[in-house]
């Protein structure tokens, strides 16, 4: 079992609860820590923290949500999982924020806590979400442009139909006047040295005995 634990790629720590005078859990003692666990300091090995108090090793574990998770495992015997836990870790010679999947389970009267580094997975998911968000925004922008273009086209068609209707009404008025006026009127078209009669009104037609227009 120890060999399996040592060869795991996940961070792993075994903690024993430390109680205060009132019987409440005040801290945890580090009984075992795996080399893949998040490193609390660059100048000391992880194993040097065995036997020390957890809150001395990782003061950030004073965070109520995280510390209560440890306590809840001891008090209820139920496992606790935090899918994305940001942790400042010493990686590649510098401090960097990594994201871990955290699991804590009851073990030997204490807590077995494990971390799996999911930083790249989380970042990849964020990149996909961002790309999808940009794609959705582009689709929305394109849809809005198409809708606006369609609206403008409909407006242009309506305006043209209105103009054509007005022209037809005006032509009807002129034609009615042309045919009803008692004066002789006609339209001719010059062709070389002659004129071609194109149209005559009713008065002209009656006078020359020809059909109007």
């Amino acid at each position: 079992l120890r060999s399996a634990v040592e060869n795991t790629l996940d961070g792993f720590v075994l903690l024993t609860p430390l109680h205060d005078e009132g019987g409440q859990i005040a801290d945890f003692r580090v009984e075992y820590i795996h080399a893949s666990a998040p490193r609390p300091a660059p100048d000391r090995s992880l194993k040097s923290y065995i036997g020390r108090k957890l809150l001395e090793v990782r003061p950030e574990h004073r965070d109520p949500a995280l510390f209560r998770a440890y306590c809840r495992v001891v008090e209820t015997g139920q496992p606790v999982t935090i899918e994305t836990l940001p942790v400042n870790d010493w990686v590649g010679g510098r401090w960097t924020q990594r994201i871990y999947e955290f699991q804590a389970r009851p073990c030997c009267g204490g807590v077995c806590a494990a971390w799996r580094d999911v930083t790249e997975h989380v970042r990849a998911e964020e990149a996909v979400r961002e790309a999808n968000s940009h794609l959705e925004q582009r689709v929305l922008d394109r849809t809005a442009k198409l809708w606006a273009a369609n609206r403008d086209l409909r407006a242009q068609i309506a305006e043209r139909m209105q103009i054509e209707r007005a022209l037809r009404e005006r032509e009807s008025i002129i034609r009615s006047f042309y045919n009803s006026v008692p004066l002789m009127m006609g339209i001719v078209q010059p062709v070389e040295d002659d004129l071609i009669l194109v149209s005559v009104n009713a008065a002209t037609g009656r006078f020359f005995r020809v059909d109007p227009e």
Side-chain angles (χ1 to χ4, degrees), residues 10 15 18 44 46 112 119 126 130 155 171 176 185 194 204:
D10 296 343
L15 306 172
L18 301 175
R44 301 188 64 176
L46 290 173
C112 292
T119 305
E126 290 175 350
E130 184 177 358
E171 181 181 358
S176 175
M185 301 178 67
D194 200 355
T204 305

Side-chain angles (χ1 to χ4, degrees), residues 85-89 91 94-100 119 123:
L85 178 66
V87 175
N88 287 326
D89 197 4
V91 179
R94 62 187 179 88
W95 288 107
T96 182
Q97 187 179 73
R98 307 294 293 177
I99 301 174
Y100 291 88
T119 305
R123 288 174 180 171

Side-chain angles (χ1 to χ4, degrees), residues 147-162:
W147 185 89
N150 190 41
R151 178 197 59 200
D152 294 342
L153 180 59
R154 289 198 302 268
Q156 292 175 11
I157 292 173
E159 182 181 5
R160 178 164 296 183
M161 292 177 63
Q162 183 177 3

Side-chain angles (χ1 to χ4, degrees), residues 33-155:
I33 187 167
H34 185 266
S36 296
R39 184 175 295 277
D43 56 344
R44 301 188 64 176
S45 67
L46 290 173
K47 291 185 178 181
S48 67
Y49 290 97
I50 293 177
R52 296 184 61 184
K53 294 180 179 180
L54 174 66
L55 298 183
E56 292 178 354
V57 176
R58 300 305 297 256
E60 68 273 16
H61 283 229
R62 294 182 185 276
D63 176 86
L66 187 57
F67 189 77
R68 284 303 306 164
Y70 289 123
C71 295
R72 191 160 61 249
V73 171
V74 175
E75 295 165 355
T76 67
Q78 298 297 318
V80 172
T81 299
I82 302 177
E83 293 185 352
T84 53
L85 178 66
V87 175
N88 287 326
D89 197 4
W90 185 258
V91 179
R94 62 187 179 88
W95 288 107
T96 182
Q97 187 179 73
R98 307 294 293 177
I99 301 174
Y100 291 88
E101 179 186 1
F102 169 82
Q103 294 182 342
R105 297 179 178 275
C107 180
C108 305
V111 179
C112 292
W115 295 266
R116 180 185 296 273
D117 191 336
V118 294
T119 305
E120 302 308 323
H121 177 71
V122 171
R123 288 174 180 171
E125 286 185 336
E126 290 175 350
V128 170
R129 282 195 297 270
E130 184 177 358
N132 288 338
S133 177
H134 289 166
L135 178 59
E136 290 174 1
Q137 187 59 49
R138 288 199 298 271
V139 170
L140 291 175
D141 292 343
R142 180 61 176 167
T143 301
K145 290 179 180 179
L146 290 174
W147 185 89
N150 190 41
R151 178 197 59 200
D152 294 342
L153 180 59
R154 289 198 302 268

